[in-house]
Amino acid sequence: MVARPKSPVGALVPQFYAGRDIFITGATGFMGKVLIERLLSTCPDVGRLHLLMRPKKGETPEKRLMKLKQSQVFDIIRQQNPSQLDKLSFIQGDVAQPGLGIANEYLKQLQEVSVVFHSAATLKFDEPLPSAVEQNVLSVMRLMDICDTLPNLQALVHVSTAYCNPELNVIEEKVYPAPAPLPRLLALVEAVPAPLLANITPQYIKPKPNTYTFTKAMAEEAVRSRVNRSYPIAIFRPTIVVSSLKNPYPGWIENLNGPSGVIAAAGKGLLHVFSRKPGARADLLPVDIAIDTLLAVGWETAVDKLPEVRVYNCSTYENPTTWGEFEAALKIYLTRYPLDGCLWYPSGSGVENRYAQKILEFSLQTVPLHIAEYIMRALGVKMKISLITAEQRLRAMNDVLAFFALREWKFKTDNVEKLRARLTPSDAAIYNLDPRSIDWNDHYKNFVKGTRKYLLKEKDQDMEEARKHANRMYLLHKGVIFFVMILLFRLILQNKTVREIVYGSLRLLLSLLFATYTSVIEA
């Protein structure tokens, strides 16, 4: 392993975090883990990191913290400076509970906190409105209530999303007018029965397309409208966060949301068609660039102490890639670095027309996977996951992806660019805020390899066998295509008119070939 560089003299960001306690919500999520890793690895003198954790699936916060410390993302830290992990402590609570469900004994632990990063949220687009409000809106309001009691707090950074105003084509770094009055929204979800609320939700949240973007926009309004606070607040808006560019490892990924789900499903031979507009910008953001920017935002927010809320759009607009390039890269690298035990040859393709996509999805995914599931059941073969369930999840994933892949936005990033220019050379050597540093071809390669290694936990030594299996699937794939073409040709020839046209065309072609051959011989 390559040793991590120590914080050089003149690096202001590590100096700022030195000795400071940090409170993090959403710490066990994809971005949360990288945030912890970057804090521990780049800020060796950082104070304690207090992580909000709730009991989950029968596991206590203590056990979840132990499992978190064993995460692959901290491998380098465990090798080089394992004592850094002793700085992690849990705060038992739940963002969906009043007061975040934090008991007084844990609130006392937060009294020395200087910086708060709030990244906990539900990412489900179809979450019922009351639940989405609870987790995305009320959570930040409850967090700010707690922040009001922290005497040493110097900055609160709320992690939003660049897509909370998707009805606009150009997204500026500002809080837009709320889609609904905040008090009225809270009263609505409290008073209206769930069945009636579910019926009126699509109309109520317009022009937002789903409850996720609606509640994230409302959360920004809750932050903006907070009065009588003694600490500065910033809103951080990342775009589509994907595998890492470099840290903790190139290609590190740990969730199946969005593009990584496409890679995994297409690589396993389950996904054969997905929605995309080939020329549209795919604003894919490596997670380490997102987190490095987030850490710099925390520093700048505390240093500047602005009374108003500053917004940071974190985007790769300066160095764009397209969904067509993403699709082309998958076809190259999924065959070069195939996944173990693929059920079919990786042959996923993008389609722009939604009607064509639905037809192809039904014929190439829904029907084959249902047939395969029934055959497996008849043969008594047990699968880790039902193919019918997998097909349903693929359709849901495709619907979510289509929201991003069939349109594009222009994100203004002036505040992030100014922040990048403000970093000292020593800071810039540690924290990469520059999307222009991305080589997309190399990143896509590492994205596929990282999905294989880190997300699916497949071993490099099994790669050769995976290639042999993929080659067998390729022959089967081509064989089935040839068989289907012959079958269709035979079916077409059943029609007398079509048969006469085909045979007539063949006779004409043979006559032309014979005439050409004769003229050449005579010449």
Side-chain angles (χ1 to χ4, degrees), residues 310-344:
R310 182 185 278 164
V311 179
Y312 297 83
N313 286 341
C314 194
S315 161
T316 54
Y317 191 83
E318 294 177 88
N319 178 22
T321 185
T322 66
W323 290 106
E325 292 169 350
F326 171 74
E327 177 188 353
L330 294 196
K331 292 180 178 179
I332 295 172
Y333 295 119
L334 279 176
T335 54
R336 193 173 297 177
Y337 307 103
L339 307 185
D340 292 350
C342 58
L343 298 178
W344 199 257

PDB file of all heavy atoms in Angstrom, residues 310-344:
ATOM      1  N   ARG A 310     -24.923  29.850   2.778  1.00  0.00           N
ATOM      2  CA  ARG A 310     -24.201  29.750   1.506  1.00  0.00           C
ATOM      3  C   ARG A 310     -24.424  28.353   0.927  1.00  0.00           C
ATOM      4  O   ARG A 310     -24.369  27.346   1.634  1.00  0.00           O
ATOM      5  CB  ARG A 310     -22.709  30.006   1.716  1.00  0.00           C
ATOM      6  CG  ARG A 310     -21.892  29.958   0.425  1.00  0.00           C
ATOM      7  CD  ARG A 310     -20.408  30.090   0.733  1.00  0.00           C
ATOM      8  NE  ARG A 310     -20.027  31.488   0.924  1.00  0.00           N
ATOM      9  CZ  ARG A 310     -18.880  31.861   1.504  1.00  0.00           C
ATOM     10  NH1 ARG A 310     -18.049  30.965   1.987  1.00  0.00           N
ATOM     11  NH2 ARG A 310     -18.584  33.138   1.630  1.00  0.00           N
ATOM     12  N   VAL A 311     -24.656  28.286  -0.384  1.00  0.00           N
ATOM     13  CA  VAL A 311     -24.944  27.022  -1.072  1.00  0.00           C
ATOM     14  C   VAL A 311     -23.772  26.662  -1.974  1.00  0.00           C
ATOM     15  O   VAL A 311     -23.208  27.528  -2.660  1.00  0.00           O
ATOM     16  CB  VAL A 311     -26.241  27.128  -1.905  1.00  0.00           C
ATOM     17  CG1 VAL A 311     -26.521  25.821  -2.629  1.00  0.00           C
ATOM     18  CG2 VAL A 311     -27.421  27.509  -1.011  1.00  0.00           C
ATOM     19  N   TYR A 312     -23.413  25.382  -1.984  1.00  0.00           N
ATOM     20  CA  TYR A 312     -22.320  24.880  -2.816  1.00  0.00           C
ATOM     21  C   TYR A 312     -22.854  23.768  -3.721  1.00  0.00           C
ATOM     22  O   TYR A 312     -23.256  22.705  -3.233  1.00  0.00           O
ATOM     23  CB  TYR A 312     -21.199  24.311  -1.961  1.00  0.00           C
ATOM     24  CG  TYR A 312     -20.509  25.303  -1.051  1.00  0.00           C
ATOM     25  CD1 TYR A 312     -21.059  25.636   0.189  1.00  0.00           C
ATOM     26  CD2 TYR A 312     -19.295  25.882  -1.409  1.00  0.00           C
ATOM     27  CE1 TYR A 312     -20.431  26.529   1.042  1.00  0.00           C
ATOM     28  CE2 TYR A 312     -18.652  26.776  -0.557  1.00  0.00           C
ATOM     29  CZ  TYR A 312     -19.224  27.094   0.665  1.00  0.00           C
ATOM     30  OH  TYR A 312     -18.583  27.975   1.518  1.00  0.00           O
ATOM     31  N   ASN A 313     -22.883  24.009  -5.030  1.00  0.00           N
ATOM     32  CA  ASN A 313     -23.225  22.961  -5.991  1.00  0.00           C
ATOM     33  C   ASN A 313     -21.953  22.199  -6.353  1.00  0.00           C
ATOM     34  O   ASN A 313     -21.031  22.766  -6.941  1.00  0.00           O
ATOM     35  CB  ASN A 313     -23.824  23.554  -7.260  1.00  0.00           C
ATOM     36  CG  ASN A 313     -25.236  24.053  -7.069  1.00  0.00           C
ATOM     37  OD1 ASN A 313     -25.915  23.668  -6.118  1.00  0.00           O
ATOM     38  ND2 ASN A 313     -25.696  24.920  -7.963  1.00  0.00           N
ATOM     39  N   CYS A 314     -21.892  20.922  -5.994  1.00  0.00           N
ATOM     40  CA  CYS A 314     -20.716  20.098  -6.283  1.00  0.00           C
ATOM     41  C   CYS A 314     -21.033  19.230  -7.492  1.00  0.00           C
ATOM     42  O   CYS A 314     -21.814  18.282  -7.409  1.00  0.00           O
ATOM     43  CB  CYS A 314     -20.359  19.244  -5.074  1.00  0.00           C
ATOM     44  SG  CYS A 314     -18.720  18.509  -5.162  1.00  0.00           S
ATOM     45  N   SER A 315     -20.405  19.565  -8.621  1.00  0.00           N
ATOM     46  CA  SER A 315     -20.770  18.989  -9.910  1.00  0.00           C
ATOM     47  C   SER A 315     -19.516  18.749 -10.746  1.00  0.00           C
ATOM     48  O   SER A 315     -18.453  19.328 -10.486  1.00  0.00           O
ATOM     49  CB  SER A 315     -21.724  19.952 -10.644  1.00  0.00           C
ATOM     50  OG  SER A 315     -21.792  19.696 -12.018  1.00  0.00           O
ATOM     51  N   THR A 316     -19.639  17.897 -11.760  1.00  0.00           N
ATOM     52  CA  THR A 316     -18.545  17.689 -12.714  1.00  0.00           C
ATOM     53  C   THR A 316     -18.827  18.419 -14.028  1.00  0.00           C
ATOM     54  O   THR A 316     -18.336  18.032 -15.088  1.00  0.00           O
ATOM     55  CB  THR A 316     -18.331  16.186 -12.986  1.00  0.00           C
ATOM     56  OG1 THR A 316     -19.569  15.595 -13.404  1.00  0.00           O
ATOM     57  CG2 THR A 316     -17.838  15.470 -11.742  1.00  0.00           C
ATOM     58  N   TYR A 317     -19.604  19.482 -13.952  1.00  0.00           N
ATOM     59  CA  TYR A 317     -19.988  20.221 -15.161  1.00  0.00           C
ATOM     60  C   TYR A 317     -18.764  20.767 -15.896  1.00  0.00           C
ATOM     61  O   TYR A 317     -18.789  20.913 -17.122  1.00  0.00           O
ATOM     62  CB  TYR A 317     -20.929  21.379 -14.782  1.00  0.00           C
ATOM     63  CG  TYR A 317     -21.598  22.035 -15.969  1.00  0.00           C
ATOM     64  CD1 TYR A 317     -22.751  21.477 -16.526  1.00  0.00           C
ATOM     65  CD2 TYR A 317     -21.078  23.189 -16.539  1.00  0.00           C
ATOM     66  CE1 TYR A 317     -23.365  22.064 -17.612  1.00  0.00           C
ATOM     67  CE2 TYR A 317     -21.689  23.789 -17.625  1.00  0.00           C
ATOM     68  CZ  TYR A 317     -22.834  23.221 -18.163  1.00  0.00           C
ATOM     69  OH  TYR A 317     -23.436  23.802 -19.254  1.00  0.00           O
ATOM     70  N   GLU A 318     -17.685  21.058 -15.167  1.00  0.00           N
ATOM     71  CA  GLU A 318     -16.478  21.584 -15.813  1.00  0.00           C
ATOM     72  C   GLU A 318     -15.768  20.524 -16.660  1.00  0.00           C
ATOM     73  O   GLU A 318     -14.959  20.860 -17.532  1.00  0.00           O
ATOM     74  CB  GLU A 318     -15.494  22.099 -14.757  1.00  0.00           C
ATOM     75  CG  GLU A 318     -15.971  23.306 -13.974  1.00  0.00           C
ATOM     76  CD  GLU A 318     -14.965  23.682 -12.908  1.00  0.00           C
ATOM     77  OE1 GLU A 318     -14.044  24.465 -13.221  1.00  0.00           O
ATOM     78  OE2 GLU A 318     -15.087  23.212 -11.760  1.00  0.00           O
ATOM     79  N   ASN A 319     -16.041  19.258 -16.387  1.00  0.00           N
ATOM     80  CA  ASN A 319     -15.389  18.162 -17.102  1.00  0.00           C
ATOM     81  C   ASN A 319     -16.432  17.083 -17.360  1.00  0.00           C
ATOM     82  O   ASN A 319     -16.437  16.033 -16.721  1.00  0.00           O
ATOM     83  CB  ASN A 319     -14.218  17.615 -16.280  1.00  0.00           C
ATOM     84  CG  ASN A 319     -13.523  16.449 -16.953  1.00  0.00           C
ATOM     85  OD1 ASN A 319     -13.598  16.274 -18.171  1.00  0.00           O
ATOM     86  ND2 ASN A 319     -12.836  15.628 -16.160  1.00  0.00           N
ATOM     87  N   PRO A 320     -17.338  17.344 -18.292  1.00  0.00           N
ATOM     88  CA  PRO A 320     -18.502  16.458 -18.426  1.00  0.00           C
ATOM     89  C   PRO A 320     -18.208  15.131 -19.123  1.00  0.00           C
ATOM     90  O   PRO A 320     -17.279  15.008 -19.915  1.00  0.00           O
ATOM     91  CB  PRO A 320     -19.464  17.299 -19.271  1.00  0.00           C
ATOM     92  CG  PRO A 320     -18.558  18.163 -20.110  1.00  0.00           C
ATOM     93  CD  PRO A 320     -17.385  18.480 -19.231  1.00  0.00           C
ATOM     94  N   THR A 321     -19.006  14.154 -18.778  1.00  0.00           N
ATOM     95  CA  THR A 321     -19.100  12.912 -19.518  1.00  0.00           C
ATOM     96  C   THR A 321     -20.559  12.755 -19.925  1.00  0.00           C
ATOM     97  O   THR A 321     -21.414  13.540 -19.493  1.00  0.00           O
ATOM     98  CB  THR A 321     -18.621  11.714 -18.693  1.00  0.00           C
ATOM     99  OG1 THR A 321     -18.633  10.525 -19.500  1.00  0.00           O
ATOM    100  CG2 THR A 321     -19.518  11.487 -17.482  1.00  0.00           C
ATOM    101  N   THR A 322     -20.867  11.779 -20.753  1.00  0.00           N
ATOM    102  CA  THR A 322     -22.248  11.580 -21.213  1.00  0.00           C
ATOM    103  C   THR A 322     -22.711  10.169 -20.880  1.00  0.00           C
ATOM    104  O   THR A 322     -21.906   9.272 -20.611  1.00  0.00           O
ATOM    105  CB  THR A 322     -22.371  11.805 -22.728  1.00  0.00           C
ATOM    106  OG1 THR A 322     -21.634  10.772 -23.423  1.00  0.00           O
ATOM    107  CG2 THR A 322     -21.823  13.171 -23.134  1.00  0.00           C
ATOM    108  N   TRP A 323     -24.019   9.989 -20.934  1.00  0.00           N
ATOM    109  CA  TRP A 323     -24.561   8.651 -20.696  1.00  0.00           C
ATOM    110  C   TRP A 323     -24.173   7.693 -21.820  1.00  0.00           C
ATOM    111  O   TRP A 323     -24.036   6.488 -21.580  1.00  0.00           O
ATOM    112  CB  TRP A 323     -26.075   8.717 -20.549  1.00  0.00           C
ATOM    113  CG  TRP A 323     -26.499   9.386 -19.284  1.00  0.00           C
ATOM    114  CD1 TRP A 323     -27.034  10.634 -19.131  1.00  0.00           C
ATOM    115  CD2 TRP A 323     -26.381   8.855 -17.965  1.00  0.00           C
ATOM    116  NE1 TRP A 323     -27.261  10.923 -17.812  1.00  0.00           N
ATOM    117  CE2 TRP A 323     -26.871   9.844 -17.066  1.00  0.00           C
ATOM    118  CE3 TRP A 323     -25.908   7.644 -17.439  1.00  0.00           C
ATOM    119  CZ2 TRP A 323     -26.906   9.644 -15.683  1.00  0.00           C
ATOM    120  CZ3 TRP A 323     -25.943   7.441 -16.065  1.00  0.00           C
ATOM    121  CH2 TRP A 323     -26.436   8.439 -15.213  1.00  0.00           C
ATOM    122  N   GLY A 324     -23.976   8.219 -23.014  1.00  0.00           N
ATOM    123  CA  GLY A 324     -23.496   7.376 -24.107  1.00  0.00           C
ATOM    124  C   GLY A 324     -22.093   6.864 -23.831  1.00  0.00           C
ATOM    125  O   GLY A 324     -21.768   5.701 -24.130  1.00  0.00           O
ATOM    126  N   GLU A 325     -21.232   7.719 -23.270  1.00  0.00           N
ATOM    127  CA  GLU A 325     -19.873   7.293 -22.911  1.00  0.00           C
ATOM    128  C   GLU A 325     -19.907   6.277 -21.771  1.00  0.00           C
ATOM    129  O   GLU A 325     -19.109   5.324 -21.759  1.00  0.00           O
ATOM    130  CB  GLU A 325     -19.040   8.510 -22.528  1.00  0.00           C
ATOM    131  CG  GLU A 325     -18.749   9.444 -23.696  1.00  0.00           C
ATOM    132  CD  GLU A 325     -18.146  10.769 -23.263  1.00  0.00           C
ATOM    133  OE1 GLU A 325     -18.126  11.053 -22.050  1.00  0.00           O
ATOM    134  OE2 GLU A 325     -17.717  11.530 -24.161  1.00  0.00           O
ATOM    135  N   PHE A 326     -20.807   6.468 -20.835  1.00  0.00           N
ATOM    136  CA  PHE A 326     -20.974   5.506 -19.743  1.00  0.00           C
ATOM    137  C   PHE A 326     -21.366   4.136 -20.301  1.00  0.00           C
ATOM    138  O   PHE A 326     -20.784   3.106 -19.930  1.00  0.00           O
ATOM    139  CB  PHE A 326     -22.037   6.014 -18.774  1.00  0.00           C
ATOM    140  CG  PHE A 326     -22.452   5.033 -17.714  1.00  0.00           C
ATOM    141  CD1 PHE A 326     -21.618   4.752 -16.642  1.00  0.00           C
ATOM    142  CD2 PHE A 326     -23.689   4.404 -17.781  1.00  0.00           C
ATOM    143  CE1 PHE A 326     -22.004   3.845 -15.652  1.00  0.00           C
ATOM    144  CE2 PHE A 326     -24.085   3.505 -16.806  1.00  0.00           C
ATOM    145  CZ  PHE A 326     -23.243   3.226 -15.736  1.00  0.00           C
ATOM    146  N   GLU A 327     -22.323   4.122 -21.219  1.00  0.00           N
ATOM    147  CA  GLU A 327     -22.777   2.860 -21.813  1.00  0.00           C
ATOM    148  C   GLU A 327     -21.652   2.188 -22.599  1.00  0.00           C
ATOM    149  O   GLU A 327     -21.429   0.970 -22.477  1.00  0.00           O
ATOM    150  CB  GLU A 327     -23.968   3.130 -22.741  1.00  0.00           C
ATOM    151  CG  GLU A 327     -24.476   1.901 -23.467  1.00  0.00           C
ATOM    152  CD  GLU A 327     -25.528   2.240 -24.506  1.00  0.00           C
ATOM    153  OE1 GLU A 327     -25.964   3.408 -24.573  1.00  0.00           O
ATOM    154  OE2 GLU A 327     -25.925   1.329 -25.258  1.00  0.00           O
ATOM    155  N   ALA A 328     -20.915   2.976 -23.397  1.00  0.00           N
ATOM    156  CA  ALA A 328     -19.812   2.415 -24.190  1.00  0.00           C
ATOM    157  C   ALA A 328     -18.732   1.821 -23.287  1.00  0.00           C
ATOM    158  O   ALA A 328     -18.157   0.756 -23.594  1.00  0.00           O
ATOM    159  CB  ALA A 328     -19.220   3.497 -25.092  1.00  0.00           C
ATOM    160  N   ALA A 329     -18.457   2.497 -22.176  1.00  0.00           N
ATOM    161  CA  ALA A 329     -17.439   2.000 -21.244  1.00  0.00           C
ATOM    162  C   ALA A 329     -17.862   0.671 -20.624  1.00  0.00           C
ATOM    163  O   ALA A 329     -17.030  -0.231 -20.436  1.00  0.00           O
ATOM    164  CB  ALA A 329     -17.175   3.037 -20.159  1.00  0.00           C
ATOM    165  N   LEU A 330     -19.146   0.537 -20.307  1.00  0.00           N
ATOM    166  CA  LEU A 330     -19.625  -0.717 -19.726  1.00  0.00           C
ATOM    167  C   LEU A 330     -19.411  -1.878 -20.694  1.00  0.00           C
ATOM    168  O   LEU A 330     -19.009  -2.975 -20.276  1.00  0.00           O
ATOM    169  CB  LEU A 330     -21.114  -0.617 -19.373  1.00  0.00           C
ATOM    170  CG  LEU A 330     -21.532   0.356 -18.271  1.00  0.00           C
ATOM    171  CD1 LEU A 330     -22.942   0.027 -17.804  1.00  0.00           C
ATOM    172  CD2 LEU A 330     -20.583   0.325 -17.103  1.00  0.00           C
ATOM    173  N   LYS A 331     -19.683  -1.656 -21.960  1.00  0.00           N
ATOM    174  CA  LYS A 331     -19.539  -2.728 -22.944  1.00  0.00           C
ATOM    175  C   LYS A 331     -18.081  -3.162 -23.085  1.00  0.00           C
ATOM    176  O   LYS A 331     -17.797  -4.318 -23.392  1.00  0.00           O
ATOM    177  CB  LYS A 331     -20.101  -2.270 -24.287  1.00  0.00           C
ATOM    178  CG  LYS A 331     -21.616  -2.090 -24.259  1.00  0.00           C
ATOM    179  CD  LYS A 331     -22.167  -1.641 -25.593  1.00  0.00           C
ATOM    180  CE  LYS A 331     -23.690  -1.514 -25.540  1.00  0.00           C
ATOM    181  NZ  LYS A 331     -24.273  -1.050 -26.818  1.00  0.00           N
ATOM    182  N   ILE A 332     -17.169  -2.230 -22.852  1.00  0.00           N
ATOM    183  CA  ILE A 332     -15.746  -2.564 -22.941  1.00  0.00           C
ATOM    184  C   ILE A 332     -15.271  -3.265 -21.677  1.00  0.00           C
ATOM    185  O   ILE A 332     -14.693  -4.363 -21.721  1.00  0.00           O
ATOM    186  CB  ILE A 332     -14.901  -1.297 -23.187  1.00  0.00           C
ATOM    187  CG1 ILE A 332     -15.223  -0.693 -24.558  1.00  0.00           C
ATOM    188  CG2 ILE A 332     -13.410  -1.613 -23.063  1.00  0.00           C
ATOM    189  CD1 ILE A 332     -14.565   0.652 -24.782  1.00  0.00           C
ATOM    190  N   TYR A 333     -15.542  -2.650 -20.519  1.00  0.00           N
ATOM    191  CA  TYR A 333     -14.910  -3.117 -19.292  1.00  0.00           C
ATOM    192  C   TYR A 333     -15.645  -4.258 -18.608  1.00  0.00           C
ATOM    193  O   TYR A 333     -15.033  -5.015 -17.846  1.00  0.00           O
ATOM    194  CB  TYR A 333     -14.723  -1.933 -18.336  1.00  0.00           C
ATOM    195  CG  TYR A 333     -13.754  -0.916 -18.888  1.00  0.00           C
ATOM    196  CD1 TYR A 333     -14.150   0.390 -19.152  1.00  0.00           C
ATOM    197  CD2 TYR A 333     -12.442  -1.275 -19.185  1.00  0.00           C
ATOM    198  CE1 TYR A 333     -13.262   1.314 -19.684  1.00  0.00           C
ATOM    199  CE2 TYR A 333     -11.549  -0.362 -19.713  1.00  0.00           C
ATOM    200  CZ  TYR A 333     -11.971   0.932 -19.963  1.00  0.00           C
ATOM    201  OH  TYR A 333     -11.082   1.833 -20.499  1.00  0.00           O
ATOM    202  N   LEU A 334     -16.935  -4.431 -18.873  1.00  0.00           N
ATOM    203  CA  LEU A 334     -17.626  -5.581 -18.296  1.00  0.00           C
ATOM    204  C   LEU A 334     -17.223  -6.881 -18.978  1.00  0.00           C
ATOM    205  O   LEU A 334     -17.371  -7.957 -18.404  1.00  0.00           O
ATOM    206  CB  LEU A 334     -19.149  -5.395 -18.379  1.00  0.00           C
ATOM    207  CG  LEU A 334     -19.773  -4.525 -17.289  1.00  0.00           C
ATOM    208  CD1 LEU A 334     -21.259  -4.340 -17.534  1.00  0.00           C
ATOM    209  CD2 LEU A 334     -19.529  -5.108 -15.902  1.00  0.00           C
ATOM    210  N   THR A 335     -16.730  -6.788 -20.204  1.00  0.00           N
ATOM    211  CA  THR A 335     -16.206  -7.985 -20.868  1.00  0.00           C
ATOM    212  C   THR A 335     -14.723  -8.191 -20.553  1.00  0.00           C
ATOM    213  O   THR A 335     -14.235  -9.311 -20.533  1.00  0.00           O
ATOM    214  CB  THR A 335     -16.402  -7.879 -22.389  1.00  0.00           C
ATOM    215  OG1 THR A 335     -15.816  -6.649 -22.868  1.00  0.00           O
ATOM    216  CG2 THR A 335     -17.873  -7.880 -22.737  1.00  0.00           C
ATOM    217  N   ARG A 336     -14.023  -7.097 -20.264  1.00  0.00           N
ATOM    218  CA  ARG A 336     -12.599  -7.202 -19.911  1.00  0.00           C
ATOM    219  C   ARG A 336     -12.431  -7.641 -18.461  1.00  0.00           C
ATOM    220  O   ARG A 336     -11.488  -8.378 -18.130  1.00  0.00           O
ATOM    221  CB  ARG A 336     -11.916  -5.857 -20.135  1.00  0.00           C
ATOM    222  CG  ARG A 336     -10.403  -5.913 -20.104  1.00  0.00           C
ATOM    223  CD  ARG A 336      -9.808  -4.571 -20.509  1.00  0.00           C
ATOM    224  NE  ARG A 336     -10.150  -4.222 -21.879  1.00  0.00           N
ATOM    225  CZ  ARG A 336      -9.806  -3.072 -22.466  1.00  0.00           C
ATOM    226  NH1 ARG A 336      -9.117  -2.163 -21.775  1.00  0.00           N
ATOM    227  NH2 ARG A 336     -10.161  -2.827 -23.714  1.00  0.00           N
ATOM    228  N   TYR A 337     -13.336  -7.187 -17.585  1.00  0.00           N
ATOM    229  CA  TYR A 337     -13.291  -7.563 -16.168  1.00  0.00           C
ATOM    230  C   TYR A 337     -14.654  -8.130 -15.771  1.00  0.00           C
ATOM    231  O   TYR A 337     -15.405  -7.506 -15.018  1.00  0.00           O
ATOM    232  CB  TYR A 337     -12.947  -6.349 -15.298  1.00  0.00           C
ATOM    233  CG  TYR A 337     -11.697  -5.627 -15.747  1.00  0.00           C
ATOM    234  CD1 TYR A 337     -11.784  -4.426 -16.464  1.00  0.00           C
ATOM    235  CD2 TYR A 337     -10.432  -6.138 -15.474  1.00  0.00           C
ATOM    236  CE1 TYR A 337     -10.645  -3.763 -16.885  1.00  0.00           C
ATOM    237  CE2 TYR A 337      -9.287  -5.476 -15.890  1.00  0.00           C
ATOM    238  CZ  TYR A 337      -9.393  -4.297 -16.598  1.00  0.00           C
ATOM    239  OH  TYR A 337      -8.264  -3.639 -17.019  1.00  0.00           O
ATOM    240  N   PRO A 338     -15.003  -9.303 -16.277  1.00  0.00           N
ATOM    241  CA  PRO A 338     -16.355  -9.846 -16.061  1.00  0.00           C
ATOM    242  C   PRO A 338     -16.609 -10.196 -14.601  1.00  0.00           C
ATOM    243  O   PRO A 338     -15.684 -10.490 -13.830  1.00  0.00           O
ATOM    244  CB  PRO A 338     -16.365 -11.100 -16.941  1.00  0.00           C
ATOM    245  CG  PRO A 338     -14.925 -11.502 -17.034  1.00  0.00           C
ATOM    246  CD  PRO A 338     -14.150 -10.218 -17.055  1.00  0.00           C
ATOM    247  N   LEU A 339     -17.889 -10.163 -14.229  1.00  0.00           N
ATOM    248  CA  LEU A 339     -18.300 -10.532 -12.879  1.00  0.00           C
ATOM    249  C   LEU A 339     -18.433 -12.044 -12.778  1.00  0.00           C
ATOM    250  O   LEU A 339     -18.670 -12.734 -13.774  1.00  0.00           O
ATOM    251  CB  LEU A 339     -19.627  -9.855 -12.530  1.00  0.00           C
ATOM    252  CG  LEU A 339     -19.691  -8.335 -12.718  1.00  0.00           C
ATOM    253  CD1 LEU A 339     -21.026  -7.801 -12.216  1.00  0.00           C
ATOM    254  CD2 LEU A 339     -18.541  -7.636 -12.006  1.00  0.00           C
ATOM    255  N   ASP A 340     -18.269 -12.555 -11.586  1.00  0.00           N
ATOM    256  CA  ASP A 340     -18.341 -14.006 -11.371  1.00  0.00           C
ATOM    257  C   ASP A 340     -19.748 -14.539 -11.652  1.00  0.00           C
ATOM    258  O   ASP A 340     -20.741 -13.917 -11.278  1.00  0.00           O
ATOM    259  CB  ASP A 340     -17.972 -14.346  -9.924  1.00  0.00           C
ATOM    260  CG  ASP A 340     -16.512 -14.080  -9.610  1.00  0.00           C
ATOM    261  OD1 ASP A 340     -15.736 -13.817 -10.547  1.00  0.00           O
ATOM    262  OD2 ASP A 340     -16.148 -14.132  -8.413  1.00  0.00           O
ATOM    263  N   GLY A 341     -19.790 -15.706 -12.301  1.00  0.00           N
ATOM    264  CA  GLY A 341     -21.032 -16.448 -12.448  1.00  0.00           C
ATOM    265  C   GLY A 341     -22.174 -15.701 -13.095  1.00  0.00           C
ATOM    266  O   GLY A 341     -23.320 -15.820 -12.653  1.00  0.00           O
ATOM    267  N   CYS A 342     -21.871 -14.926 -14.143  1.00  0.00           N
ATOM    268  CA  CYS A 342     -22.947 -14.182 -14.807  1.00  0.00           C
ATOM    269  C   CYS A 342     -23.978 -15.155 -15.373  1.00  0.00           C
ATOM    270  O   CYS A 342     -23.645 -16.218 -15.887  1.00  0.00           O
ATOM    271  CB  CYS A 342     -22.383 -13.272 -15.899  1.00  0.00           C
ATOM    272  SG  CYS A 342     -21.442 -14.104 -17.191  1.00  0.00           S
ATOM    273  N   LEU A 343     -25.245 -14.783 -15.261  1.00  0.00           N
ATOM    274  CA  LEU A 343     -26.331 -15.640 -15.743  1.00  0.00           C
ATOM    275  C   LEU A 343     -26.509 -15.551 -17.251  1.00  0.00           C
ATOM    276  O   LEU A 343     -27.146 -16.415 -17.853  1.00  0.00           O
ATOM    277  CB  LEU A 343     -27.633 -15.256 -15.046  1.00  0.00           C
ATOM    278  CG  LEU A 343     -27.648 -15.426 -13.519  1.00  0.00           C
ATOM    279  CD1 LEU A 343     -28.971 -14.966 -12.948  1.00  0.00           C
ATOM    280  CD2 LEU A 343     -27.370 -16.875 -13.132  1.00  0.00           C
ATOM    281  N   TRP A 344     -25.977 -14.498 -17.834  1.00  0.00           N
ATOM    282  CA  TRP A 344     -26.035 -14.316 -19.285  1.00  0.00           C
ATOM    283  C   TRP A 344     -24.875 -13.412 -19.680  1.00  0.00           C
ATOM    284  O   TRP A 344     -24.285 -12.738 -18.825  1.00  0.00           O
ATOM    285  CB  TRP A 344     -27.373 -13.699 -19.709  1.00  0.00           C
ATOM    286  CG  TRP A 344     -27.687 -13.890 -21.180  1.00  0.00           C
ATOM    287  CD1 TRP A 344     -27.570 -12.961 -22.171  1.00  0.00           C
ATOM    288  CD2 TRP A 344     -28.134 -15.087 -21.804  1.00  0.00           C
ATOM    289  NE1 TRP A 344     -27.925 -13.502 -23.378  1.00  0.00           N
ATOM    290  CE2 TRP A 344     -28.283 -14.826 -23.185  1.00  0.00           C
ATOM    291  CE3 TRP A 344     -28.428 -16.375 -21.345  1.00  0.00           C
ATOM    292  CZ2 TRP A 344     -28.705 -15.774 -24.096  1.00  0.00           C
ATOM    293  CZ3 TRP A 344     -28.859 -17.327 -22.247  1.00  0.00           C
ATOM    294  CH2 TRP A 344     -29.000 -17.024 -23.608  1.00  0.00           C
TER     295      TRP A 344
END
